[in-house]
Amino acid sequence: MTVNIPGPVGGRITAAFTDAGTTGTLCATDIDTGDTVGLGADTPVCTASVHKLCLVATLYREAAAGRVDPTTPLDIPAEARAPGPTGLAVMRDAARLSLRDLASLAIAVSDNAAADLLWDHLGLDTVNATMNALGLTRTIAVHNQAGLYATMLADAGEGGPAALVDPAAVARLAVLDPARTNRSTAREMTTLLGAVWRDEVCGGQWGEELRAVLGVQAWSHRLASGFPFDDVRVSGKTGSLPTQRHEAGVVEYPDGGRYAVAVFTRAASTAATLPAADAGVGRAARIAVDALRARGSEPPG
């Protein structure tokens, strides 16, 4: 059952976004019952690094089909790596890593260089075909991380990266237009995560390993901030662009409840650092999951 803007719950989610200085879309789904709370859940959104979920899921689906061996090592030269603030993108020397270790870096620290090695190995067409086969027809990649960054800098103009806090420069960015960049919807991202947790993307060894990889993210300032409990596990992937802060992930409770959640936000401010906007992602997610858990505890009839 899908409840879109569900009365007072929808109002509380909207208020959480407003208090954080953002607007947003959200989808939260009980992985086992299918009950869903949505706010603009079918609105197209720019996925940014959240699309690495699609990339890594494709790697493991290909492994399960016997078309790719995730243990295959790649030699990684020091030069010509995708830019980024973490991982291989900031390392100075040549390296040698397996495909699955590159996947771990792409999720754990959102390593753009590691992700682009996977994009190059698998191909955008393979990732898009995998999403289509899973029924995610609105989840589409049009460029890798280097391509996304190059497009953003070209649109920023002569000011370069420093211009990305200038509202006029931000307004020019194609990467903030879902029609021209990697895109999906909040509902489709939760559908993907639900399929991963139900072994519908891949099962057995590869399904278990895929979920383990998706659980290693280092960042806890968005989705996980809404669930500050030692016995609640949050697996997720953030995504960030100028004015945009996102995360999609799975929240697992000790009683067996498990919920796929995707939150995509856009801030009024162009400032690069907005802790309130980050925390708003977790706050909105918590409201939605609490609503699902309350519904699940209601007696039948």
Side-chain angles (χ1 to χ4, degrees):
M1 173 184 294
T2 298
V3 184
N4 197 47
I5 319 183
V9 174
R12 291 178 62 208
I13 293 170
T14 299
F17 288 143
T18 301
D19 290 347
T22 66
T23 57
T25 67
L26 175 148
C27 188
T29 301
D30 185 316
I31 290 173
D32 298 299
T33 69
D35 280 355
T36 298
V37 169
L39 181 68
D42 297 309
T43 302
V45 292
C46 309
T47 47
S49 283
V50 171
H51 222 98
K52 290 169 184 168
L53 290 173
C54 308
L55 173 65
V56 173
T58 297
L59 171 66
Y60 280 93
R61 189 171 173 88
E62 291 291 288
R67 291 186 288 266
V68 170
D69 179 0
T71 68
T72 300
L74 293 186
D75 290 313
I76 307 162
E79 66 277 358
R81 294 178 184 172
T86 61
L88 289 169
V90 296
M91 293 180 185
R92 298 173 178 82
D93 299 319
R96 182 177 172 87
L97 290 170
S98 68
L99 295 174
R100 63 182 178 180
D101 284 345
L102 291 169
S104 291
L105 282 173
I107 297 298
V109 293
S110 202
D111 186 340
N112 287 341
D116 273 6
L117 288 161
L118 293 177
W119 282 116
D120 292 344
H121 192 85
L122 295 170
L124 266 71
D125 288 346
T126 299
V127 177
N128 287 336
T130 299
M131 296 303 106
N132 193 65
L134 293 169
L136 309 179
T137 59
R138 303 177 72 190
T139 301
I140 299 169
V142 300
H143 38 221
N144 63 9
Q145 303 306 125
L148 186 151
Y149 189 75
T151 297
M152 189 162 57
L153 286 186
D155 290 345
E158 295 181 358
L164 295 177
V165 294
D166 176 359
V170 169
R172 295 194 296 266
L173 300 182
V175 296
L176 302 184
D177 178 1
R180 295 186 286 169
T181 190
N182 297 350
R183 57 190 177 268
S184 185
T185 67
R187 188 188 306 277
E188 289 208 351
M189 294 313 302
T190 59
T191 299
L192 172 60
L193 288 163
V196 170
W197 257 254
R198 292 190 301 269
D199 277 345
E200 295 167 1
V201 171
C202 55
Q205 169 196 350
W206 298 125
E208 291 178 7
E209 189 169 303
L210 172 55
R211 288 187 290 275
V213 168
L214 297 184
V216 299
Q217 179 175 240
W219 319 134
S220 60
H221 60 308
R222 292 186 186 163
L223 186 59
S225 70
F227 305 89
F229 312 110
D230 289 342
D231 57 354
V232 175
R233 176 177 174 81
V234 179
S235 305
K237 182 69 201 76
T238 59
S240 304
L241 288 167
T243 71
Q244 299 193 359
R245 292 159 178 82
H246 315 317
E247 187 159 357
V250 170
V251 181
E252 298 175 272
Y253 279 75
D255 61 7
R258 45 189 196 162
Y259 310 89
V261 188
V263 184
F264 293 84
T265 73
R266 188 160 189 169
S269 171
T270 60
T273 302
L274 288 173
D278 291 323
V281 172
R283 191 171 300 114
R286 176 66 180 280
I287 293 167
V289 169
D290 281 352
L292 289 172
R293 286 179 63 78
R295 182 177 181 83
S297 66
E298 293 175 358

